Amino acid sequence: MFLYSEDPTKRYHSWNYALRQEFGGKIFKVPVDGGFDCPNRDGTVAHGGCTFCSVSGSGDMIVAPNEALPVQFQKEIDMMHQKWPAVDQYIVYFQNFTNTHAPVEIIRERFEQVVNLPGVVGLSVGTRPDCLPSEVVDYLAELNQRLYLWVELGLQTTYEQTSEQINRAHDYPTYVDAVARLRQHNINVCTHLINGLPGESLDMMRENVRRTLLDSDIQGIKLHLLHLMRNTKMLRDYAEGRLQLMSKQDYVSVVCDQLEMIPQEIIIHRLTGDAPWDALVGPMWSLKKWEVLNAIDQELLHRDSYQGKFNIREKTHAANRFTI
C-alpha cells in the first residue's frame, strides 16, 4: 500500500507532503522571472522556441516579471499571504525560459539576489539539459551545500521525432547526460514531461515515463497536460490535423497509469498545469484544475491503486535478475 501521505485521498507522493516532511509546515514556491532567454529562441541552437511555447514562455502567471528580482519576490509572497498569512518559508522558483542560459557570472549575480532574502530556504531552477556546462553545474553544487535545491529539467518527450516536431532542439542522450552530471553532486532533479504532444499515443506517453525512470536517476517528476495556447506555432499542427487535444478521461487514465509505474520515493511535483484562460485554445476542461486532480484521486481509488503499485524499476531489476 502507499506509504507517503497524511491525506487518505492522496495515493501519490505529493510535493506538498514532501515539503511538509522537509520543513515541518507549509512552504510557498515563489515564481520569478530571472530575465534569461532560451537557446532555441535566440539562435544559440535554433530559432522560434518550442512550438507549444508562448511569447512569454512559462511565466504567464508571474505577477511582476519586469520588476527587480527582490521586488518580484515580495509581490508574489504578498499575494500568497492573502490566503496563507502564517507561511514564512519560501522556495524561489526561477521559472521562465532557461535559467542557466548565460555565463555563470550572470547566473550567480541573479541567483544571489534572492537566496539570502528573509525566509528563503530553497531554490528551484528551471532549465534545459543542453544548458548545463561544467562551471554552471559547479555553481549549482555550491548552492546545493547552502540551501534546499532542485534543478527542473524540461525534457517533455523521449521520442526524437516528437522532439524535432516541437523544435525542442536537443536530443534524449543530452538529457540523460545532464542528469548524470547533476547527480554526481547529489543535486535533486525533477524532470518535466508533457502528455498530449502531437502524434504521441497513450502508449507513447506511458513509455516516456518508463524510459525516464530507467535511464535517469531523478528524484522528482512533473507531468503536464499540453495546453494549446494562442500565438504559438503549435496552432498550425492543430489546424492541419496533426494534433488532437486530449479528453479529460484519457488524461486522467494515462496519469494514473504513469503514477503506477513511478517508484514511491519519487516526488510528484505536479500532475497538471495552469494556463491563462484568455490565452488557452484548449483543452478547456483543464481550466478546472481541482476537478482534474480530484478525478485522478478518484480513479486511483476506483482502481484500488497508488503510486508505485507496478514500480517499473523493481520490475526491470527483477526481470534482469531472472535473465541472469
Side-chain angles (χ1 to χ4, degrees), residues 9 12 251-253 255-256 259 271-272 291-301:
T9 67
Y12 56 88
Y251 186 75
V252 168
S253 179
V255 165
C256 290
L259 285 171
L271 290 179
T272 186
E291 289 187 8
V292 179
L293 294 174
N294 289 338
I296 292 169
D297 291 339
Q298 289 301 309
E299 176 63 16
L300 289 173
L301 185 63

Side-chain angles (χ1 to χ4, degrees), residues 109-149:
E109 185 274 330
R110 295 181 189 177
F111 287 9
E112 295 296 330
Q113 290 183 47
V114 298
V115 295
N116 293 314
L117 291 175
V120 172
V121 295
L123 195 67
S124 192
V125 180
T127 190
R128 288 166 51 99
D130 57 348
C131 291
L132 289 165
S134 58
E135 63 272 16
V136 170
V137 173
D138 288 344
Y139 174 54
L140 292 171
E142 174 193 325
L143 285 173
N144 196 42
Q145 298 298 313
R146 294 164 53 191
L147 75 173
Y148 185 70
L149 177 69

Side-chain angles (χ1 to χ4, degrees), residues 7 14 49-50 121 144 152 160 172 248-249 266 275 277 304:
D7 182 348
S14 73
C50 295
V121 295
N144 196 42
E152 301 195 25
E160 302 298 358
Y172 183 55
K248 179 179 174 181
Q249 181 178 359
I266 291 180
W277 66 269
D304 190 23

Side-chain angles (χ1 to χ4, degrees), residues 108-303:
R108 180 185 291 271
E109 185 274 330
R110 295 181 189 177
F111 287 9
E112 295 296 330
Q113 290 183 47
V114 298
V115 295
N116 293 314
L117 291 175
V120 172
V121 295
L123 195 67
S124 192
V125 180
T127 190
R128 288 166 51 99
D130 57 348
C131 291
L132 289 165
S134 58
E135 63 272 16
V136 170
V137 173
D138 288 344
Y139 174 54
L140 292 171
E142 174 193 325
L143 285 173
N144 196 42
Q145 298 298 313
R146 294 164 53 191
L147 75 173
Y148 185 70
L149 177 69
W150 282 86
V151 172
E152 301 195 25
L153 288 182
L155 172 60
Q156 322 310 359
T157 180
T158 65
Y159 288 92
E160 302 298 358
Q161 181 178 354
T162 307
S163 185
E164 291 174 9
Q165 184 173 344
I166 65 176
N167 195 40
R168 191 65 193 153
H170 71 75
D171 60 12
Y172 183 55
T174 298
Y175 158 79
V176 174
D177 176 69
V179 175
R181 291 186 295 108
L182 290 166
R183 292 301 297 149
Q184 287 177 355
H185 299 280
N186 204 34
I187 295 169
N188 289 324
V189 178
C190 175
T191 296
H192 293 215
L193 293 170
I194 297 178
N195 289 323
L197 289 170
E200 293 204 350
S201 65
L202 298 178
D203 282 342
M204 292 170 74
M205 297 174 209
R206 288 185 280 264
E207 180 66 8
N208 279 327
V209 169
R210 190 192 74 85
R211 291 178 180 177
T212 302
L213 293 171
L214 295 182
D215 294 342
S216 56
D217 175 24
I218 61 173
Q219 291 65 55
I221 194 165
K222 274 188 178 180
L223 300 175
H224 295 265
L225 168 68
L226 174 69
H227 289 121
L228 182 61
M229 307 284 285
R230 302 185 193 282
N231 300 316
T232 61
K233 293 185 177 181
M234 191 167 281
L235 280 171
R236 179 177 296 179
D237 291 317
Y238 185 59
E240 297 178 358
R242 292 186 297 274
L243 171 63
Q244 302 296 320
L245 298 180
M246 292 191 76
S247 69
K248 179 179 174 181
Q249 181 178 359
D250 279 348
Y251 186 75
V252 168
S253 179
V254 80
V255 165
C256 290
D257 294 343
Q258 292 168 327
L259 285 171
E260 289 174 339
M261 290 189 283
I262 299 172
Q264 291 189 10
E265 66 271 14
I266 291 180
I267 299 169
I268 308 301
H269 287 235
R270 175 171 286 180
L271 290 179
T272 186
D274 299 293
W277 66 269
D278 56 346
L280 182 66
V281 175
M284 299 310 292
W285 54 261
S286 68
L287 290 172
K288 297 180 179 179
K289 179 178 177 180
W290 286 106
E291 289 187 8
V292 179
L293 294 174
N294 289 338
I296 292 169
D297 291 339
Q298 289 301 309
E299 176 63 16
L300 289 173
L301 185 63
H302 175 73
R303 296 183 184 190

Side-chain angles (χ1 to χ4, degrees), residues 86-97:
V87 176
D88 61 359
Q89 295 185 95
Y90 316 103
I91 294 173
V92 179
Y93 180 23
F94 280 85
Q95 180 179 20
N96 204 21
F97 294 126

